[in-house]
Amino acid sequence: MGVNRGRQSFQHPGPTNIPERVLRAMDRAQIDYTSVEFQNTLSECQEKLGHVFKTEHAVITYAASGHGAWEAALANVTSPGDLILVVQSGFFSEKWSGFAEGLGLKTETLETDWRTAADPAQLEERLRRDTDHTIKAVMLVHNETSTGVVNDCAEIRAAMDRAGHPALYLIDAISSLACFDVNMDEWRADVVVAGSQKGLMMPVGLSFTGVSAKAIEASQNATTPRSYWDWRRLLTGMRQTSFHGTQPVTLIFGLHEALMMIEEEGLDQIFKRHNILAEATRRAATIWSENDGPQIVATNIKSRSDTVTALLMPDGYDADEVRRIALEHFNVCLAPGLAGLKGRIFRIGHMGDLNASMMLGALASCEAALEIVGVPYGKGGINAAMTYLVSAAGAEASLGSIDESVSPIRKSA
Ligand code: PLP
């Protein structure tokens, strides 16, 4: 199609589109990070982050990607040789588990098939057997970005409570925070990690860690070596009062603007918007799955993610070819399958600064790419998505009715 003009439709599940307002807020000269202006901006960010995490506890900010917050979470609450129970969900739970092993921790995995959410009863049963409380922490990825499967954090908490187990509860909310509900205090989570480049609509570079009083207490005696990540050096009581190194001034100004946008839209409305765009995607994908077409990876409807939908290709068809065509012909950037899923799945991100027309354009391009590549699929997905969006907008009534009082624009002969 030659040169692709206009904006690229960027449909990754992080990084996500950065709103103009956030870009403009970062487009400014550096200021002294010890200045009152900057420190006030940082404090406001800390307060607003607490609202987004739904916590009264401290939320620590690091100049790092989500991987940094992962390592920080593990290093601060464990000692070498501690056993961590990893609720398996996909690529990201496996990687986090690898980080734990890298720090000298032992891990045990609660298996899943990567297509369904973790089973709370299975977790409860394992914790009940751990009568001497060897398991130090339960590690869970809330939204497994590699598969589009969501784990139920409240149910996992309830299973831990039923087992009466004192393990710390560590949650990766990197691709769910500010997109669908993350409720750190209600779940009595001890550590919740997040990153800037997802629901917070920022560039990559900041990561965040909500830490409960119990986690801070555990960090006092934990012996896993750490310096940059050490909460003890960053917190005064329940509040972050220092940073290691130069503070990320530009990113904090962007974050402040993004948090203001989140406050203006309201978390409930943000969750609703994500749910509607995700449901439109699922409606299209369900139709595409007919005629032996690509299948939604998450098999259980209840566990389908509101931020990313992963589609498993029929045998013999390359997901990366669909992505290549979508990019070259329609300037739509879809996300690849990770590690062992490369070529087998592609992922449609529907998170962050996104609206219905962007979503419809991306879905239509996706369907067109399936057609061009010659993948079998059921036709009519876009219509299903559009029909759903019409009903979600509550527009059915006005669309079908005619205002009799309006005179025709064509004069009769
Ligand atoms: N955890 C989840 C669920 C993710 O989606 C990602 C990144 O996509 C990460 C962890 C890693 O975060 P980062 O890339 O910011 O290091």
Side-chain angles (χ1 to χ4, degrees):
M1 208 176 264
V3 176
N4 264 317
R5 295 226 182 268
R7 289 234 159 168
Q8 183 176 89
S9 171
F10 190 67
Q11 300 296 145
H12 270 234
T16 58
N17 298 300
I18 304 173
E20 288 296 328
R21 269 178 67 178
V22 173
L23 289 169
R24 296 290 77 84
M26 291 189 293
D27 183 9
R28 55 173 291 176
Q30 294 298 298
I31 60 167
D32 177 359
Y33 66 79
T34 64
S35 66
V36 173
E37 181 191 358
F38 180 72
Q39 288 306 316
N40 284 345
T41 307
L42 184 59
S43 306
E44 280 183 33
C45 286
Q46 286 172 335
E47 195 192 319
K48 291 179 198 300
L49 280 169
H51 299 156
V52 179
F53 276 69
K54 298 195 177 170
T55 185
E56 298 290 324
H57 299 292
V59 178
I60 296 169
T61 300
Y62 287 110
S65 83
H67 279 74
W70 266 356
E71 180 148 333
L74 291 163
N76 276 284
V77 299
T78 63
S79 300
D82 279 350
L83 178 63
I84 310 293
L85 184 60
V86 182
V87 180
Q88 197 190 58
S89 47
F91 175 82
F92 287 106
S93 72
E94 281 199 340
K95 256 198 117 184
W96 199 9
S97 168
F99 265 43
E101 284 155 18
L103 290 172
L105 308 174
K106 292 191 199 115
T107 61
E108 183 183 316
T109 303
L110 206 73
E111 302 286 336
T112 68
D113 62 1
W114 286 29
R115 297 192 70 170
T116 45
D119 177 6
Q122 193 191 354
L123 177 82
E124 180 183 343
E125 187 277 326
R126 177 63 190 96
L127 292 178
R128 278 188 193 280
R129 275 194 287 115
D130 185 39
T131 47
D132 55 358
H133 297 160
T134 309
I135 296 169
K136 179 81 189 192
V138 170
M139 228 162 79
L140 178 81
V141 175
H142 183 203
N143 182 67
E144 179 51 74
T145 326
S146 65
T147 58
V149 174
V150 179
N151 286 307
D152 189 328
C153 295
E155 287 287 318
I156 296 290
R157 172 80 261 173
M160 292 172 73
D161 289 348
R162 282 194 302 276
H165 200 288
L168 292 159
Y169 187 18
L170 317 183
I171 298 177
D172 169 342
I174 288 179
S175 61
S176 51
L177 188 89
C179 298
F180 54 93
D181 201 24
V182 170
N183 200 326
M184 176 164 169
D185 288 359
E186 200 172 287
W187 298 337
R188 299 197 330 284
D190 294 299
V191 178
V192 174
V193 296
S196 51
Q197 77 276 22
K198 309 267 184 178
L200 294 174
M201 308 178 289
M202 285 274 297
V204 70
L206 297 176
S207 56
F208 310 98
T209 319
V211 288
S212 75
K214 186 173 158 187
I216 292 177
E217 197 186 315
S219 74
Q220 303 307 312
N221 301 317
T223 60
T224 297
R226 64 232 191 242
S227 295
Y228 184 74
W229 308 119
D230 197 339
W231 298 342
R232 291 169 301 188
R233 298 168 184 237
L234 299 174
L235 292 170
T236 306
M238 293 291 288
R239 201 179 141 72
Q240 181 177 8
T241 43
S242 54
F243 251 90
H244 291 310
T246 310
Q247 301 190 15
V249 173
T250 306
L251 291 174
I252 294 294
F253 279 120
L255 177 68
H256 189 262
E257 191 67 23
L259 289 167
M260 292 219 297
M261 289 176 70
I262 288 171
E263 215 168 76
E264 286 162 21
E265 187 177 359
L267 280 178
D268 288 344
Q269 181 52 38
I270 289 172
F271 299 161
K272 191 169 159 200
R273 176 168 56 80
H274 278 80
N275 177 260
I276 289 171
L277 299 180
E279 187 54 30
T281 306
R282 294 189 281 259
R283 299 277 173 124
T286 302
I287 300 287
W288 296 339
S289 72
E290 293 168 6
N291 192 26
D292 296 325
Q295 305 290 314
I296 297 179
V297 171
T299 42
N300 187 339
I301 290 175
K302 202 176 135 255
S303 311
R304 288 180 175 167
S305 165
D306 278 352
T307 55
V308 55
T309 300
L311 296 183
L312 179 64
M313 297 297 284
D315 284 344
Y317 293 92
D318 183 1
D320 287 341
E321 186 57 9
V322 176
R323 291 180 53 244
R324 187 180 70 78
I325 294 294
L327 186 63
E328 281 182 12
H329 287 254
F330 303 104
N331 210 5
V332 170
C333 188
L334 302 167
L338 298 171
L341 293 175
K342 183 156 175 47
R344 294 178 61 206
I345 69 169
F346 67 88
R347 296 173 298 147
I348 307 171
H350 29 79
M351 68 193 298
D353 192 42
L354 201 64
N355 61 37
S357 76
M358 294 157 88
M359 199 71 241
L360 272 177
L363 292 172
S365 305
C366 206
E367 182 166 324
L370 291 173
E371 176 76 29
I372 292 171
V373 174
V375 179
Y377 72 97
K379 295 197 195 287
I382 300 314
N383 214 36
M386 198 171 65
T387 305
Y388 170 74
L389 288 170
V390 168
S391 69
E396 296 114 308
S398 58
L399 274 184
S401 59
I402 292 169
D403 185 348
E404 305 288 352
S405 66
V406 176
S407 49
I409 46 181
R410 182 168 59 83
K411 289 212 170 96
S412 40

